[in-house]
Amino acid sequence: STPCKALYVCNDCKEPFDYFKCLSLRRLFFSIQNGTGKIVFNRPDVLNSFNAEMAKAFQSALDECAANKEVRCILITGEGRAFSAGQDLSATIAPGVKIKQIVEDQYNPIILKLRQLEKPVVCAVNGVAAGAGANVAFACDITLAASSAGFIQAFSKIGLIPDSGGTFFLPRLIGLQRATALTMLGDKITAQQALEYGLIYKVLPDESLMAEAEKTAEKLASMPTKGLGYTKRLLNASLNNNLSEQLKTEGDMQEAAGKTYDYNEGVKAFLEKRKPVF
Ligand code: T3D
């Protein structure tokens, strides 16, 4: 395992990709252990709401996870009692702040990186997830939530529209009716309701969320990483493809999967009646 690193964008030294300077300004924790790149939002006093520094640090951590071969799965969670309350609203109404710029600089790259990262991303929603915080959780591959967690499309309450992929993922995950009701009414739903709607994969008791999430991430990290990456690429493509296009893409990706070390090892292990080592 690699020692824990802190990733941040420092207001003082303006060096966004330096992991080790100015540790007192940490916005986000990043560590790699047992094949899992763990990202923890760390602004608990403001419910891990995103300011520019935390958003940039999150982007840097996702880039590191994509590039680093040691990372075979990503786990995202929040420090303290919340997952994330979305945009830090104290940073947005100052004169001269351009909301479009915030969306384009902070959230659009985060959502694209989460979807384009060809490794599984597990999200452990440890508490409330609001606004962009909720939509980050829904853009992850396997989202687990503590039973006390809740989800709010908080945008309508302050006159905004759902960003961070909300208008893309919500109708696809839960249908137009529920997506419309949740985004317009801004009702808070429980983790159990989110599970019943199909927004998340599992609800876990608060005290076992992190252990289960880490176990799930470690299991994924020991599986055929290339094949899981191709699976994610196919699932992404299915959001826009028609059936013939999708079948064609499945053929192409199966050919690529069939050429991997993992496929060779998986079949050999099956025939030799032993556990494969991927
Ligand atoms: O630039 C743009 O605006 C475009 C981008 C938009 C993306 C978005 O995400 S827009 C949506 C922004 N988020 C929200 O509107 C949610 C705001 N927060 C809440 O509604 C509530 O805090 C929660 C429902 C999430 C939790 O409620 P509760 O009662 O458990 O906690 P609280 O007391 O409201 O919050 C605790 C502290 O966190 C409090 O600070 P204090 O009083 O202890 O000093 C509160 O002000 C702070 N906090 C919570 N959310 C935010 C926040 N501070 C800044 N920004 C926040 N989003």
Side-chain angles (χ1 to χ4, degrees), residues 58-59 76-77 109 113 118 123 140 179-180 185-186 200 218 220:
F58 188 23
Q59 292 175 20
I76 299 171
T77 192
K113 284 177 196 295
E118 291 199 343
C123 183
C140 292
T180 307
L185 294 170
I200 62 172
E218 279 170 26
L220 287 161

mmCIF file with all atom_site columns, all heavy atoms in Angstrom, residues 58-59 76-77 109 113 118 123 140 179-180 185-186 200 218 220:
data_model
loop_
_atom_site.group_PDB
_atom_site.id
_atom_site.type_symbol
_atom_site.label_atom_id
_atom_site.label_alt_id
_atom_site.label_comp_id
_atom_site.label_asym_id
_atom_site.label_entity_id
_atom_site.label_seq_id
_atom_site.pdbx_PDB_ins_code
_atom_site.Cartn_x
_atom_site.Cartn_y
_atom_site.Cartn_z
_atom_site.occupancy
_atom_site.B_iso_or_equiv
_atom_site.pdbx_formal_charge
_atom_site.auth_seq_id
_atom_site.auth_comp_id
_atom_site.auth_asym_id
_atom_site.auth_atom_id
_atom_site.pdbx_PDB_model_num
ATOM 1   N N   . PHE A 1 58  ? -10.800 17.018 -5.908  1.00 0.00 ? 58  PHE A N   1
ATOM 2   C CA  . PHE A 1 58  ? -11.541 15.811 -6.303  1.00 0.00 ? 58  PHE A CA  1
ATOM 3   C C   . PHE A 1 58  ? -11.170 15.431 -7.743  1.00 0.00 ? 58  PHE A C   1
ATOM 4   O O   . PHE A 1 58  ? -10.886 14.268 -8.049  1.00 0.00 ? 58  PHE A O   1
ATOM 5   C CB  . PHE A 1 58  ? -13.043 16.112 -6.174  1.00 0.00 ? 58  PHE A CB  1
ATOM 6   C CG  . PHE A 1 58  ? -13.958 14.925 -6.350  1.00 0.00 ? 58  PHE A CG  1
ATOM 7   C CD1 . PHE A 1 58  ? -13.534 13.619 -6.142  1.00 0.00 ? 58  PHE A CD1 1
ATOM 8   C CD2 . PHE A 1 58  ? -15.291 15.123 -6.701  1.00 0.00 ? 58  PHE A CD2 1
ATOM 9   C CE1 . PHE A 1 58  ? -14.399 12.536 -6.292  1.00 0.00 ? 58  PHE A CE1 1
ATOM 10  C CE2 . PHE A 1 58  ? -16.159 14.057 -6.856  1.00 0.00 ? 58  PHE A CE2 1
ATOM 11  C CZ  . PHE A 1 58  ? -15.720 12.764 -6.662  1.00 0.00 ? 58  PHE A CZ  1
ATOM 12  N N   . GLN A 1 59  ? -11.124 16.431 -8.609  1.00 0.00 ? 59  GLN A N   1
ATOM 13  C CA  . GLN A 1 59  ? -10.731 16.149 -10.003 1.00 0.00 ? 59  GLN A CA  1
ATOM 14  C C   . GLN A 1 59  ? -9.321  15.567 -10.064 1.00 0.00 ? 59  GLN A C   1
ATOM 15  O O   . GLN A 1 59  ? -9.071  14.594 -10.791 1.00 0.00 ? 59  GLN A O   1
ATOM 16  C CB  . GLN A 1 59  ? -10.794 17.429 -10.834 1.00 0.00 ? 59  GLN A CB  1
ATOM 17  C CG  . GLN A 1 59  ? -12.198 17.951 -11.050 1.00 0.00 ? 59  GLN A CG  1
ATOM 18  C CD  . GLN A 1 59  ? -12.206 19.296 -11.774 1.00 0.00 ? 59  GLN A CD  1
ATOM 19  O OE1 . GLN A 1 59  ? -11.247 19.674 -12.437 1.00 0.00 ? 59  GLN A OE1 1
ATOM 20  N NE2 . GLN A 1 59  ? -13.300 20.028 -11.640 1.00 0.00 ? 59  GLN A NE2 1
ATOM 21  N N   . ILE A 1 76  ? -15.526 6.455  -2.718  1.00 0.00 ? 76  ILE A N   1
ATOM 22  C CA  . ILE A 1 76  ? -15.740 7.877  -2.393  1.00 0.00 ? 76  ILE A CA  1
ATOM 23  C C   . ILE A 1 76  ? -16.683 7.986  -1.193  1.00 0.00 ? 76  ILE A C   1
ATOM 24  O O   . ILE A 1 76  ? -17.734 7.322  -1.158  1.00 0.00 ? 76  ILE A O   1
ATOM 25  C CB  . ILE A 1 76  ? -16.365 8.614  -3.603  1.00 0.00 ? 76  ILE A CB  1
ATOM 26  C CG1 . ILE A 1 76  ? -15.421 8.530  -4.808  1.00 0.00 ? 76  ILE A CG1 1
ATOM 27  C CG2 . ILE A 1 76  ? -16.657 10.070 -3.264  1.00 0.00 ? 76  ILE A CG2 1
ATOM 28  C CD1 . ILE A 1 76  ? -16.027 9.025  -6.106  1.00 0.00 ? 76  ILE A CD1 1
ATOM 29  N N   . THR A 1 77  ? -16.316 8.821  -0.226  1.00 0.00 ? 77  THR A N   1
ATOM 30  C CA  . THR A 1 77  ? -17.192 9.031  0.932   1.00 0.00 ? 77  THR A CA  1
ATOM 31  C C   . THR A 1 77  ? -16.939 10.419 1.519   1.00 0.00 ? 77  THR A C   1
ATOM 32  O O   . THR A 1 77  ? -16.152 11.196 0.979   1.00 0.00 ? 77  THR A O   1
ATOM 33  C CB  . THR A 1 77  ? -16.994 7.909  1.985   1.00 0.00 ? 77  THR A CB  1
ATOM 34  O OG1 . THR A 1 77  ? -18.049 7.982  2.950   1.00 0.00 ? 77  THR A OG1 1
ATOM 35  C CG2 . THR A 1 77  ? -15.658 8.003  2.695   1.00 0.00 ? 77  THR A CG2 1
ATOM 36  N N   . PRO A 1 109 ? -16.566 18.573 -15.223 1.00 0.00 ? 109 PRO A N   1
ATOM 37  C CA  . PRO A 1 109 ? -15.404 17.657 -15.293 1.00 0.00 ? 109 PRO A CA  1
ATOM 38  C C   . PRO A 1 109 ? -15.502 16.515 -14.290 1.00 0.00 ? 109 PRO A C   1
ATOM 39  O O   . PRO A 1 109 ? -15.104 15.386 -14.595 1.00 0.00 ? 109 PRO A O   1
ATOM 40  C CB  . PRO A 1 109 ? -14.210 18.558 -14.961 1.00 0.00 ? 109 PRO A CB  1
ATOM 41  C CG  . PRO A 1 109 ? -14.672 19.952 -15.190 1.00 0.00 ? 109 PRO A CG  1
ATOM 42  C CD  . PRO A 1 109 ? -16.143 19.969 -14.947 1.00 0.00 ? 109 PRO A CD  1
ATOM 43  N N   . LYS A 1 113 ? -15.399 12.737 -15.485 1.00 0.00 ? 113 LYS A N   1
ATOM 44  C CA  . LYS A 1 113 ? -14.293 11.888 -15.011 1.00 0.00 ? 113 LYS A CA  1
ATOM 45  C C   . LYS A 1 113 ? -14.846 10.634 -14.337 1.00 0.00 ? 113 LYS A C   1
ATOM 46  O O   . LYS A 1 113 ? -14.326 9.525  -14.528 1.00 0.00 ? 113 LYS A O   1
ATOM 47  C CB  . LYS A 1 113 ? -13.392 12.657 -14.033 1.00 0.00 ? 113 LYS A CB  1
ATOM 48  C CG  . LYS A 1 113 ? -12.464 13.657 -14.724 1.00 0.00 ? 113 LYS A CG  1
ATOM 49  C CD  . LYS A 1 113 ? -11.653 14.455 -13.718 1.00 0.00 ? 113 LYS A CD  1
ATOM 50  C CE  . LYS A 1 113 ? -11.031 15.703 -14.311 1.00 0.00 ? 113 LYS A CE  1
ATOM 51  N NZ  . LYS A 1 113 ? -10.023 15.490 -15.335 1.00 0.00 ? 113 LYS A NZ  1
ATOM 52  N N   . GLU A 1 118 ? -12.315 4.150  -16.389 1.00 0.00 ? 118 GLU A N   1
ATOM 53  C CA  . GLU A 1 118 ? -12.678 2.755  -16.705 1.00 0.00 ? 118 GLU A CA  1
ATOM 54  C C   . GLU A 1 118 ? -12.254 1.797  -15.592 1.00 0.00 ? 118 GLU A C   1
ATOM 55  O O   . GLU A 1 118 ? -11.566 0.792  -15.805 1.00 0.00 ? 118 GLU A O   1
ATOM 56  C CB  . GLU A 1 118 ? -12.136 2.372  -18.086 1.00 0.00 ? 118 GLU A CB  1
ATOM 57  C CG  . GLU A 1 118 ? -12.889 3.150  -19.164 1.00 0.00 ? 118 GLU A CG  1
ATOM 58  C CD  . GLU A 1 118 ? -12.797 2.564  -20.558 1.00 0.00 ? 118 GLU A CD  1
ATOM 59  O OE1 . GLU A 1 118 ? -11.908 1.729  -20.819 1.00 0.00 ? 118 GLU A OE1 1
ATOM 60  O OE2 . GLU A 1 118 ? -13.619 2.958  -21.404 1.00 0.00 ? 118 GLU A OE2 1
ATOM 61  N N   . CYS A 1 123 ? -19.500 4.309  -4.180  1.00 0.00 ? 123 CYS A N   1
ATOM 62  C CA  . CYS A 1 123 ? -19.770 5.509  -3.383  1.00 0.00 ? 123 CYS A CA  1
ATOM 63  C C   . CYS A 1 123 ? -20.432 5.078  -2.077  1.00 0.00 ? 123 CYS A C   1
ATOM 64  O O   . CYS A 1 123 ? -21.399 4.309  -2.106  1.00 0.00 ? 123 CYS A O   1
ATOM 65  C CB  . CYS A 1 123 ? -20.694 6.430  -4.182  1.00 0.00 ? 123 CYS A CB  1
ATOM 66  S SG  . CYS A 1 123 ? -21.041 7.967  -3.357  1.00 0.00 ? 123 CYS A SG  1
ATOM 67  N N   . CYS A 1 140 ? -21.944 7.633  -9.675  1.00 0.00 ? 140 CYS A N   1
ATOM 68  C CA  . CYS A 1 140 ? -20.974 6.572  -9.382  1.00 0.00 ? 140 CYS A CA  1
ATOM 69  C C   . CYS A 1 140 ? -21.528 5.225  -9.832  1.00 0.00 ? 140 CYS A C   1
ATOM 70  O O   . CYS A 1 140 ? -22.711 5.098  -10.137 1.00 0.00 ? 140 CYS A O   1
ATOM 71  C CB  . CYS A 1 140 ? -20.669 6.558  -7.881  1.00 0.00 ? 140 CYS A CB  1
ATOM 72  S SG  . CYS A 1 140 ? -19.774 8.046  -7.358  1.00 0.00 ? 140 CYS A SG  1
ATOM 73  N N   . ALA A 1 179 ? -38.406 11.561 -11.505 1.00 0.00 ? 179 ALA A N   1
ATOM 74  C CA  . ALA A 1 179 ? -37.329 12.551 -11.704 1.00 0.00 ? 179 ALA A CA  1
ATOM 75  C C   . ALA A 1 179 ? -37.912 13.957 -11.643 1.00 0.00 ? 179 ALA A C   1
ATOM 76  O O   . ALA A 1 179 ? -37.330 14.862 -11.032 1.00 0.00 ? 179 ALA A O   1
ATOM 77  C CB  . ALA A 1 179 ? -36.639 12.318 -13.039 1.00 0.00 ? 179 ALA A CB  1
ATOM 78  N N   . THR A 1 180 ? -39.058 14.143 -12.248 1.00 0.00 ? 180 THR A N   1
ATOM 79  C CA  . THR A 1 180 ? -39.685 15.470 -12.257 1.00 0.00 ? 180 THR A CA  1
ATOM 80  C C   . THR A 1 180 ? -40.099 15.866 -10.838 1.00 0.00 ? 180 THR A C   1
ATOM 81  O O   . THR A 1 180 ? -39.828 16.982 -10.376 1.00 0.00 ? 180 THR A O   1
ATOM 82  C CB  . THR A 1 180 ? -40.921 15.480 -13.186 1.00 0.00 ? 180 THR A CB  1
ATOM 83  O OG1 . THR A 1 180 ? -40.536 14.986 -14.455 1.00 0.00 ? 180 THR A OG1 1
ATOM 84  C CG2 . THR A 1 180 ? -41.492 16.883 -13.331 1.00 0.00 ? 180 THR A CG2 1
ATOM 85  N N   . LEU A 1 185 ? -40.034 19.368 -6.636  1.00 0.00 ? 185 LEU A N   1
ATOM 86  C CA  . LEU A 1 185 ? -40.477 19.559 -5.251  1.00 0.00 ? 185 LEU A CA  1
ATOM 87  C C   . LEU A 1 185 ? -39.297 19.712 -4.286  1.00 0.00 ? 185 LEU A C   1
ATOM 88  O O   . LEU A 1 185 ? -39.428 20.316 -3.225  1.00 0.00 ? 185 LEU A O   1
ATOM 89  C CB  . LEU A 1 185 ? -41.340 18.363 -4.806  1.00 0.00 ? 185 LEU A CB  1
ATOM 90  C CG  . LEU A 1 185 ? -42.680 18.223 -5.552  1.00 0.00 ? 185 LEU A CG  1
ATOM 91  C CD1 . LEU A 1 185 ? -43.345 16.893 -5.228  1.00 0.00 ? 185 LEU A CD1 1
ATOM 92  C CD2 . LEU A 1 185 ? -43.613 19.374 -5.202  1.00 0.00 ? 185 LEU A CD2 1
ATOM 93  N N   . GLY A 1 186 ? -38.166 19.109 -4.645  1.00 0.00 ? 186 GLY A N   1
ATOM 94  C CA  . GLY A 1 186 ? -36.993 19.181 -3.762  1.00 0.00 ? 186 GLY A CA  1
ATOM 95  C C   . GLY A 1 186 ? -37.209 18.428 -2.464  1.00 0.00 ? 186 GLY A C   1
ATOM 96  O O   . GLY A 1 186 ? -36.603 18.759 -1.443  1.00 0.00 ? 186 GLY A O   1
ATOM 97  N N   . ILE A 1 200 ? -29.952 3.872  -5.870  1.00 0.00 ? 200 ILE A N   1
ATOM 98  C CA  . ILE A 1 200 ? -28.739 3.351  -5.233  1.00 0.00 ? 200 ILE A CA  1
ATOM 99  C C   . ILE A 1 200 ? -28.818 1.826  -5.185  1.00 0.00 ? 200 ILE A C   1
ATOM 100 O O   . ILE A 1 200 ? -29.886 1.240  -5.426  1.00 0.00 ? 200 ILE A O   1
ATOM 101 C CB  . ILE A 1 200 ? -28.548 3.920  -3.799  1.00 0.00 ? 200 ILE A CB  1
ATOM 102 C CG1 . ILE A 1 200 ? -29.715 3.515  -2.882  1.00 0.00 ? 200 ILE A CG1 1
ATOM 103 C CG2 . ILE A 1 200 ? -28.407 5.435  -3.836  1.00 0.00 ? 200 ILE A CG2 1
ATOM 104 C CD1 . ILE A 1 200 ? -29.486 3.877  -1.426  1.00 0.00 ? 200 ILE A CD1 1
ATOM 105 N N   . GLU A 1 218 ? -12.639 -3.637 -2.277  1.00 0.00 ? 218 GLU A N   1
ATOM 106 C CA  . GLU A 1 218 ? -11.499 -4.565 -2.349  1.00 0.00 ? 218 GLU A CA  1
ATOM 107 C C   . GLU A 1 218 ? -11.835 -5.765 -3.227  1.00 0.00 ? 218 GLU A C   1
ATOM 108 O O   . GLU A 1 218 ? -10.994 -6.274 -3.957  1.00 0.00 ? 218 GLU A O   1
ATOM 109 C CB  . GLU A 1 218 ? -11.090 -5.002 -0.948  1.00 0.00 ? 218 GLU A CB  1
ATOM 110 C CG  . GLU A 1 218 ? -10.223 -3.930 -0.299  1.00 0.00 ? 218 GLU A CG  1
ATOM 111 C CD  . GLU A 1 218 ? -9.954  -4.158 1.175   1.00 0.00 ? 218 GLU A CD  1
ATOM 112 O OE1 . GLU A 1 218 ? -9.982  -5.314 1.619   1.00 0.00 ? 218 GLU A OE1 1
ATOM 113 O OE2 . GLU A 1 218 ? -9.722  -3.147 1.889   1.00 0.00 ? 218 GLU A OE2 1
ATOM 114 N N   . LEU A 1 220 ? -13.887 -5.708 -5.818  1.00 0.00 ? 220 LEU A N   1
ATOM 115 C CA  . LEU A 1 220 ? -13.810 -5.229 -7.206  1.00 0.00 ? 220 LEU A CA  1
ATOM 116 C C   . LEU A 1 220 ? -12.359 -5.062 -7.644  1.00 0.00 ? 220 LEU A C   1
ATOM 117 O O   . LEU A 1 220 ? -12.005 -5.343 -8.795  1.00 0.00 ? 220 LEU A O   1
ATOM 118 C CB  . LEU A 1 220 ? -14.560 -3.896 -7.337  1.00 0.00 ? 220 LEU A CB  1
ATOM 119 C CG  . LEU A 1 220 ? -16.091 -4.011 -7.280  1.00 0.00 ? 220 LEU A CG  1
ATOM 120 C CD1 . LEU A 1 220 ? -16.720 -2.663 -6.944  1.00 0.00 ? 220 LEU A CD1 1
ATOM 121 C CD2 . LEU A 1 220 ? -16.658 -4.545 -8.590  1.00 0.00 ? 220 LEU A CD2 1
#
